[in-house]
Amino acid sequence: MERVFMKKYVSAVVDTPEILEQFLRRELGLSRKQISQAKFREEGICVNGERCRVTAAVKPGDQVTVLLESEDRESAHLVSGCGTLRILYEDEDILAVDKPSGMVVHPSHGHYEDSLANMAARYFREKGMAVRIRPVGRLDKDTSGIVLFAKNQVAAARLSEQKNSGEFCKEYLALVQGVPEQQKGTICTDMNKDPESLMKMKTVEKGLRAVTHYEIRQVFQDYSLIRVSIETGRTHQIRVHMASIGHPLLGDRLYGKDMRMERTALHAAACCFRQPFTGEKIQLQAELPEDMKKVMDGNICII
């Protein structure tokens, strides 16, 4: 199948007289770098259908159109992966999927053909779309749940800005050993690599700041279901923080001892962000996976 290269245009009508570059930054929210890149594209920046310099003056009623991306390359290095994506949401700028546990997001050693990015590459190719694969954030191999892919560079940049500002929120569900003393709590520590392990992280006095919020949702006899949100995205943050207060995640071979699950019991269950161009609020949910449900089924819920 012949693939169509994705072009991304944005446009707006001028409402007050001003210099074009000021309009692009104020009304369309473009950075200087994005404007500079657009200037060199054939249809890069046009006013009323005619290519225009950013130093030109525009007047009310003028139609301004910017070609943000005219990529003539896709992620050709990615092998098309097998399997079917569990799609939660899709528009012209974003693809959101529910990642199963046991799958890496990015190709890596031993996983050059079976990553989530490989599956996304196959999905776009089968739809006849030439899209560069741009995951927004990542999840550990064991962690299931919501992963976003941006279909163009500007969408990726704006979603990243939302993550940095805290406007992009993700919530997790986890099964932990025991029952935390507080119904709600915040864990704020510094973290860094454990010098005695190649894989582990640990809390330290001076390191990278990490903040985790948790709330108990259900309590069972010897474990709990908690909802977690994080202000920072440190490696293994939720796992390290819950272990640090004596409640490691079930199935966590690095930081815990309860192996009633075959993988770490962590699921990215909800996500909230704004559509990078329209500003529309988007809220997504991914159902709790079967392996976590199975642990909870048949157990007596205390609260």
Side-chain angles (χ1 to χ4, degrees), residues 186-214:
T186 295
I187 307 167
C188 182
T189 71
D190 282 8
M191 286 178 56
N192 217 327
K193 290 183 179 179
D194 186 338
E196 298 180 1
S197 171
L198 292 175
M199 300 289 292
K200 295 177 74 172
M201 303 289 288
K202 63 182 295 186
T203 58
V204 295
E205 288 189 6
K206 292 185 179 180
L208 300 172
R209 179 176 176 270
V211 181
T212 301
H213 307 284
Y214 71 87

Side-chain angles (χ1 to χ4, degrees), residues 1 7 13 42 56 86 121 129 133-134 174 180 199 250 268 303:
M1 178 188 295
K7 291 186 176 183
V13 176
E42 188 174 346
R86 300 181 213 166
M129 300 165 60
I133 306 301
R134 297 180 175 91
M199 300 289 292
L250 303 189
I303 64 170

Side-chain angles (χ1 to χ4, degrees), residues 72-268:
D72 59 356
R73 295 172 294 162
E74 58 171 330
S75 297
H77 64 288
L78 286 179
V79 176
S80 293
C82 298
T84 303
L85 292 173
R86 300 181 213 166
I87 297 175
L88 301 173
Y89 173 84
E90 184 175 13
D91 62 25
E92 66 179 15
D93 303 300
I94 298 167
L95 174 69
V97 302
D98 184 359
K99 182 185 89 68
S101 63
M103 177 177 288
V104 297
V105 173
H106 306 271
S108 57
H109 181 69
H111 298 281
Y112 294 114
E113 299 182 9
D114 60 354
S115 73
L116 193 67
N118 293 114
M119 291 179 66
R122 176 186 176 182
Y123 171 75
F124 290 128
R125 287 165 186 164
E126 288 181 345
K127 291 187 70 174
M129 300 165 60
V131 175
R132 180 168 291 184
I133 306 301
R134 297 180 175 91
V136 180
R138 60 181 291 276
L139 294 178
D140 290 341
K141 179 182 176 183
D142 269 5
T143 306
S144 56
I146 301 171
V147 174
L148 263 60
F149 290 94
K151 294 183 181 181
N152 56 73
Q153 185 273 331
V154 177
R158 291 184 176 181
L159 288 170
S160 263
E161 289 170 3
Q162 289 183 37
K163 290 182 73 174
N164 293 336
S165 69
E167 196 172 12
F168 184 115
C169 303
K170 188 178 279 189
E171 292 188 336
Y172 299 79
L173 290 174
L175 293 172
V176 301
Q177 292 176 223
V179 183
E181 291 183 7
Q182 298 178 323
Q183 175 69 24
K184 295 182 179 180
T186 295
I187 307 167
C188 182
T189 71
D190 282 8
M191 286 178 56
N192 217 327
K193 290 183 179 179
D194 186 338
E196 298 180 1
S197 171
L198 292 175
M199 300 289 292
K200 295 177 74 172
M201 303 289 288
K202 63 182 295 186
T203 58
V204 295
E205 288 189 6
K206 292 185 179 180
L208 300 172
R209 179 176 176 270
V211 181
T212 301
H213 307 284
Y214 71 87
E215 178 183 3
I216 299 173
R217 301 305 300 271
Q218 289 180 279
V219 173
F220 299 86
Q221 186 172 355
D222 61 348
Y223 67 94
S224 310
L225 174 69
I226 63 171
R227 181 174 287 271
V228 185
S229 62
I230 55 178
E231 291 185 20
T232 50
R234 309 304 178 198
T235 301
H236 297 177
Q237 179 175 322
I238 295 173
R239 298 162 65 186
V240 171
H241 269 172
M242 294 313 299
S244 75
I245 62 169
H247 301 286
L249 275 59
L250 303 189
D252 194 334
R253 298 182 184 279
L254 276 181
Y255 306 103
K257 295 180 180 179
D258 191 324
M259 295 297 115
R260 75 184 76 188
M261 280 194 62
E262 294 183 359
R263 57 100 173 186
T264 304
L266 185 61
H267 177 66

